[in-house]
Amino acid sequence: MTTDKRKFEPLQAGKVGMYVCGMTVYDYCHIGHARVMVAFDVVSRWMRHLGFDVNYVRNITDIDDKIIARANENGEKIGDLTERFIKAMHEDAAALGCADPNSEPRATEHIDEMLQMIDTLEQKDHAYAAANGDVYYAVETFEGYGKLSKRKLDDLQAGSRVDVDTDKKNPFDFVLWKAAKPGEPQWDSNWGGGRPGWHIECSAMSTKCLGNSFDIHGGGHDLQFPHHENEIAQSEAATGCTYANNWMHVGFINVDGEKMSKSLGNFFTIREVMEKFHPETIRFFILSSHYRSQVNFSDAALKEAHSGLTRVYQALKAAEAVLNEKLAGQAGESVEASTEVVNEISGYSANFIKAMNDDFNTPQAISVLFSLAKEVNKLARETQSEQDIAKLQTAVATLKALAATLNIGQVNPTEFLQAQIGAVSEDQMSDEQIDALIQERIDAKANKDFARADEIRDLLQQNSIELEDSKQGTTWRRI
């Protein structure tokens, strides 16, 4: 609202109420949805890490024009369509490492709350029933209309290309209740059968779940106007309270420099992208930019993200190999680190915390992880003494703990390092083919056929497979 950073002060000490506008469930989620999912997953995770009791609410729009149209196209029931895509949404979110919100209110389950709010708005002269049976919000009755998006109603009207609806008092008035149309779902109301407009859903559900005022309202940047502006107008006119104390909007994702759209043929669902890249690569790509910034999505950008995350996993893998060797026979026991070592490694934690507390600056936090991964690699190469081992153990534990707050770096390193990078081609080697060639190379070396062993290494290299030989054996990764 202020377009400025300010210190977060919760309305209730130790608690955070956060409402995020969720998906309209008539199709699979796209990469823009992925960014909203991941961004607010990190917000909730970090707030909890700081000790806050977070109530994260993300709604589901399960009735609207697009849903009705798609169900009719498919010849299926609306409930069957929405259930199918809600299930798909949950699968996509889980694959991206997103925890479930505390609650996911559905529009169709909160019609009563919407009707109560519309009735209140009408009683306070902020809403009116039109001749066509619809009920509209009268924007001119709300003095602060436009305060979030910094748009003035007079300016909007002067430059308006909005189609004039003769049933509206003002072309920017928006519908709260839509009169029933033949063959469409409808509910009874004081104004006759119908269904809710889109904007009233979030006002009613956020108030039901979090109260008249709450700490954080989030969503995509495209929702700032008119959706969030209309929410403010509805909620504050109905309750007389400040609606949300803080607003957070996630920036757009462009595809190869252009806005993503089906008409341009550059529209990608999360599922399509996960067929080409490990889900954690997608999460890491999203976190590599500040949540408010615009991001350019491309295969090249995802390959770069994969390369960056590889740095973290390679460090963890190298450290694991060294520690297994050095602590062999000691049942994997930790060696106590000196105060000096603990203090040195804790500097990385301090820098990470500083970055995350600065408006969730995940790119800066990731740069701290890279620095710590570099330190882990250095320690893995140089570890000799007991204190070296202690320092390496401390550094690895810190790297894992910091990365865990972003929910990255938590899968088995080998699994990630051998994951798909980019589109699968017909001549691309399978895991089984790679393992067979590695075994052949081991056999060739055992038979002192070093020429064949080198041929196999070169062949794998040509197929973007890099071998890593160690005392524990030979492993591989895709590059």
Side-chain angles (χ1 to χ4, degrees):
M1 189 73 75
T2 62
T3 67
D4 219 350
K5 283 191 291 190
R6 64 177 183 178
K7 185 178 178 182
F8 176 71
E9 299 285 357
L11 289 169
Q12 187 176 352
K15 295 182 179 293
V16 176
M18 181 170 74
Y19 184 90
V20 175
C21 287
M23 272 53 80
T24 301
V25 284
Y26 69 99
D27 206 342
Y28 291 110
C29 294
H30 56 66
I31 54 172
H33 295 139
R35 194 177 191 198
V36 173
M37 288 176 180
V38 171
F40 289 104
D41 179 65
V42 166
V43 170
S44 63
R45 285 176 186 274
W46 187 251
M47 288 292 198
R48 290 185 176 111
H49 178 73
L50 295 178
F52 287 103
D53 178 9
V54 179
N55 186 2
Y56 173 18
V57 180
R58 187 181 67 207
N59 76 293
I60 295 173
T61 297
D62 60 348
I63 183 68
D64 95 326
D65 293 342
K66 292 178 180 177
I67 291 172
I68 294 169
R70 182 60 59 84
N72 289 337
E73 286 173 20
N74 295 350
E76 66 180 318
K77 295 178 180 178
I78 287 174
D80 293 341
L81 175 84
T82 56
E83 283 300 326
R84 183 156 50 89
F85 286 117
I86 289 170
K87 180 175 181 289
M89 175 187 71
H90 287 155
E91 290 169 352
D92 291 345
L96 291 170
C98 298
D100 293 336
N102 294 81
S103 59
E104 286 186 300
R106 301 186 185 191
T108 56
E109 296 173 354
H110 293 80
I111 301 296
D112 287 346
E113 288 82 0
M114 297 177 208
L115 290 171
Q116 289 168 16
M117 184 170 278
I118 296 169
D119 185 53
T120 298
L121 290 170
E122 186 180 47
Q123 290 178 29
K124 291 186 174 184
D125 296 325
H126 289 287
Y128 60 92
N132 64 0
D134 292 346
V135 180
Y136 293 100
Y137 185 95
V139 292
E140 289 181 330
T141 66
F142 186 69
E143 187 176 345
Y145 192 78
K147 60 184 178 180
L148 176 67
S149 59
K150 307 299 179 285
R151 305 184 190 201
K152 294 182 179 179
L153 193 56
D154 289 344
D155 295 338
L156 287 169
Q157 290 167 333
S160 172
R161 290 187 179 182
V162 174
D163 292 335
V164 177
D165 184 334
T166 55
D167 292 301
K168 293 182 180 182
K169 295 179 180 179
N170 183 300
F172 281 90
D173 290 351
F174 55 90
V175 68
L176 298 170
W177 186 255
K178 295 184 176 185
K181 294 180 181 177
E184 289 189 353
Q186 58 177 284
W187 290 263
D188 293 333
S189 79
N190 295 339
W191 309 277
R195 58 187 173 89
W198 177 40
H199 307 299
I200 196 67
E201 293 179 12
C202 287
S203 286
M205 289 188 283
S206 60
T207 301
K208 172 70 179 298
C209 296
L210 297 172
N212 292 343
S213 299
F214 51 92
D215 297 294
I216 298 170
H217 194 315
H221 183 77
D222 56 318
L223 299 182
Q224 188 182 75
F225 185 88
H227 185 52
H228 288 165
E229 202 69 74
N230 291 349
E231 281 186 60
I232 292 171
Q234 293 165 157
S235 299
E236 296 191 357
T239 68
C241 303
T242 297
Y243 182 42
N245 256 19
N246 301 277
W247 289 86
M248 297 176 67
H249 291 99
V250 175
F252 291 116
I253 285 188
N254 296 323
V255 177
D256 291 323
E258 294 186 288
K259 184 177 179 180
M260 183 174 64
S261 72
K262 289 185 176 178
S263 62
L264 292 174
N266 64 355
F267 181 92
F268 296 100
T269 67
I270 297 170
R271 298 188 163 211
E272 289 170 333
V273 181
M274 286 196 296
E275 288 176 1
K276 299 163 67 176
F277 294 92
H278 193 286
E280 194 168 313
T281 293
I282 304 169
R283 185 180 179 92
F284 190 79
F285 161 75
I286 291 168
L287 297 179
S288 296
S289 299
H290 193 271
Y291 75 88
R292 284 187 284 106
S293 65
Q294 280 198 27
V295 170
N296 190 49
F297 173 90
S298 66
D299 272 15
L302 280 168
K303 287 177 181 177
E304 185 178 338
H306 187 94
S307 177
L309 192 49
T310 292
R311 291 162 62 182
V312 175
Y313 276 112
Q314 280 191 294
L316 291 173
K317 184 181 178 186
E320 181 183 301
V322 170
L323 291 173
N324 285 342
E325 179 188 349
K326 298 293 183 182
L327 297 175
Q330 299 182 37
E333 295 178 3
S334 294
V335 180
E336 187 173 349
S338 66
T339 302
E340 181 182 357
V341 164
V342 171
N343 289 340
E344 182 180 345
I345 300 302
S346 67
Y348 292 100
S349 296
N351 290 335
F352 186 93
I353 292 167
K354 181 180 179 182
M356 289 299 293
N357 282 347
D358 182 13
D359 195 24
F360 307 96
N361 193 336
T362 53
Q364 185 60 40
I366 286 171
S367 75
V368 176
L369 296 184
F370 284 157
S371 296
L372 185 49
K374 185 177 180 180
E375 177 69 10
V376 167
N377 277 323
K378 177 175 176 289
L379 293 170
R381 289 192 303 269
E382 299 174 357
T383 292
Q384 295 294 333
S385 68
E386 190 171 277
Q387 272 305 301
D388 289 341
I389 295 172
K391 189 172 183 180
L392 179 57
Q393 287 179 318
T394 304
V396 168
T398 303
L399 178 57
K400 285 183 176 178
L402 295 179
T405 65
L406 302 178
N407 200 20
I408 58 174
Q410 306 304 301
V411 303
N412 180 281
T414 299
E415 176 197 327
F416 179 82
L417 294 170
Q418 295 180 356
Q420 178 68 33
I421 311 173
V424 178
S425 60
E426 290 183 7
D427 58 351
Q428 182 169 294
M429 285 188 178
S430 67
D431 292 6
E432 292 76 18
Q433 289 173 315
I434 295 165
D435 289 337
L437 284 170
I438 288 174
Q439 185 59 52
E440 184 183 344
R441 179 172 175 265
I442 291 170
D443 294 339
K445 290 173 74 174
N447 294 326
K448 301 190 183 304
D449 188 354
F450 299 113
R452 178 54 182 160
D454 290 343
E455 283 177 8
I456 293 171
R457 175 183 279 277
D458 292 343
L459 175 61
L460 290 168
Q461 186 79 32
Q462 290 164 16
N463 283 272
S464 300
I465 305 299
E466 184 173 279
L467 299 184
E468 296 174 6
D469 294 321
S470 69
K471 293 179 181 179
Q472 285 74 38
T474 300
T475 58
W476 60 272
R477 69 181 181 93
R478 296 189 188 275
I479 55 175

